[in-house]
């Protein structure tokens, strides 16, 4: 059931029975296995709790160092649970650099739990906060402060250290699910790491919802916090890019995107007007709605899938791609061919998630594991690469449960 294949002889040596392992460790803590998002203000995170031999370990997954999106994820243990000779489960905090020490886990409810360190002095370093900051900076960014010349970036990094280190591994976690997949999806949904300018690399969940695809932040920053929907892709509105020479001209790409934006706006107005007419007709007839909302949504999804399928059938297997002049990219090593592009919107905001606004952009699908987004207003480009980790106990029990989870983490972020 839990993948524990330790032999009985090893258990006998430790003085622990199979019954103890099952009842006091595996079954008792079964509710915390899977994927979780820590409540760390705007920053969020990705925790994977797994059974590892006779231990249950909570691994925090971190993106690779900026801007290397294709590098593998990094991970570090935050806590572990095991059985000691007295045959009761022992929780140990793994935070800091002085080895395991006494911790505590409280399962608040099925989809929420919290951790507490009982010996936070183990997190301190002899060189004080300065040494702790330099160590954190090497681990988090793979460099020293002297290597970072951009003043705004220095401020963001220092702010993140001050904010995140105050928790001392005393955190509340909320369950997240991997997005369910469908044969009609453009690519397999899942988790991706993406470039976000001075904020570095962040983790985004790509999911499909009929004629829309959504990118939700699992990790975030002070501008757009974790839980918010960073990009939305309109799969009903593919973009035909100009030839490679004209694509270098930002104004030409901008013109194409803004034309589609206006078309989308008109379609939305027409849909609202049609809906109002239907409502008035129904009221006049004093009859309930002829179609339940579920039926209408399903019909919309069919149309979207059909439109998307047609688009992909007509689109070439690949086409040349280059970023327009003036568009900033953290990673110049982006693919030079793409499969298809769609109109989309990206969420931008001021510090502290002030004045949030959805702005037009271009979703660029490179291959099954990489996509990009051109933020028109910011004149910047984000490159995303799939996280290739097989997470266990992370499947959503239903599409409704996944949608509810997305709604919950977004409302918490707001």
């Amino acid at each position: 059931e839990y993948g524990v294949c330790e032999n009985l002889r090893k258990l006998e040596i430790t003085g622990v029975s199979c019954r103890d392992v099952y009842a006091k460790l595996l079954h008792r803590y079964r509710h915390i296995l899977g994927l979780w998002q820590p409540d760390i203000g705007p920053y969020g995170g990705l925790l994977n709790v797994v059974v590892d031999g006779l231990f249950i370990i909570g691994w925090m997954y971190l993106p690779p160092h900026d801007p290397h999106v294709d590098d593998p994820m990094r991970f570090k243990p935050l806590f572990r649970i095991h059985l000691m000779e007295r045959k009761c489960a022992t929780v140990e905090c793994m935070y800091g650099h002085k080895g395991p020490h006494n911790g505590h886990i409280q399962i608040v409810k099925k989809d929420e739990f919290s951790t507490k360190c009982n010996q936070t002095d183990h997190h301190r370093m002899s060189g004080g906060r300065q040494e702790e900051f330099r160590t954190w900076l090497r681990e988090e960014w793979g460099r020293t402060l002297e290597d970072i010349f951009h003043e705004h970036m220095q401020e963001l990094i220092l702010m993140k250290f001050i904010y995140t280190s105050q928790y001392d591994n005393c955190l509340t976690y909320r369950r997240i699910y991997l997005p369910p997949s469908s044969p009609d999806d453009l690519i397999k949904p899942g988790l991706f790491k993406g470039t976000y300018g001075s904020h570095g690399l962040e983790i985004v969940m790509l999911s499909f919802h009929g004629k829309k695809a959504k990118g939700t932040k699992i990790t975030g920053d002070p501008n757009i916090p974790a839980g918010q929907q960073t990009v939305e892709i309109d799969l009903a509105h593919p973009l035909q890019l100009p030839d490679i020479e004209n694509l270098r001209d930002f104004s030409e790409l901008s013109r194409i995107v803004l034309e589609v934006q206006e078309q989308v706006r008109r379609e939305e107005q027409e849909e609202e007007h049609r809906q109002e007419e239907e409502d008035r007709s129904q009221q006049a007839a004093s009859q309930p709605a002829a179609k339940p909302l579920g039926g209408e949504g399903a019909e919309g999804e069919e149309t979207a899938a059909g439109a998307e399928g047609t688009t992909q059938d007509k689109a070439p297997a690949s086409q040349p791609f280059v970023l327009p002049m003036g568009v900033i990219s953290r990673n110049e090593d982006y693919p030079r061919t793409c499969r298809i592009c769609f109109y989309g919107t990206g969420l931008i905001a001021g510090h502290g998630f002030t004045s949030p606004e959805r702005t037009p952009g271009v979703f660029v699908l490179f291959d099954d594991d990489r996509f990009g987004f051109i933020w028109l207003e910011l004149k910047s480009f984000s490159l995303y690469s799939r996280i290739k980790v097989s997470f266990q106990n992370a499947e959503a029990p239903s599409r409704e449960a996944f949608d509810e989870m997305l709604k919950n983490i977004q409302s918490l972020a707001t």
Side-chain angles (χ1 to χ4, degrees), residues 282 287-292:
Q282 287 166 4
Q287 290 178 352
K291 286 183 182 179

Side-chain angles (χ1 to χ4, degrees), residues 13-17 20-21 24 28-29 81-92 101-103 118:
I13 292 169
T14 58
V16 179
S17 70
D20 288 332
V21 172
K24 298 176 181 178
R28 179 181 174 186
Y29 288 99
I81 315 168
H82 59 99
L83 293 183
M84 300 295 281
E85 288 171 8
R86 60 180 182 275
K87 298 182 183 178
C88 67
T90 300
V91 178
E92 292 179 319
H101 47 283
N102 190 20
N118 297 330

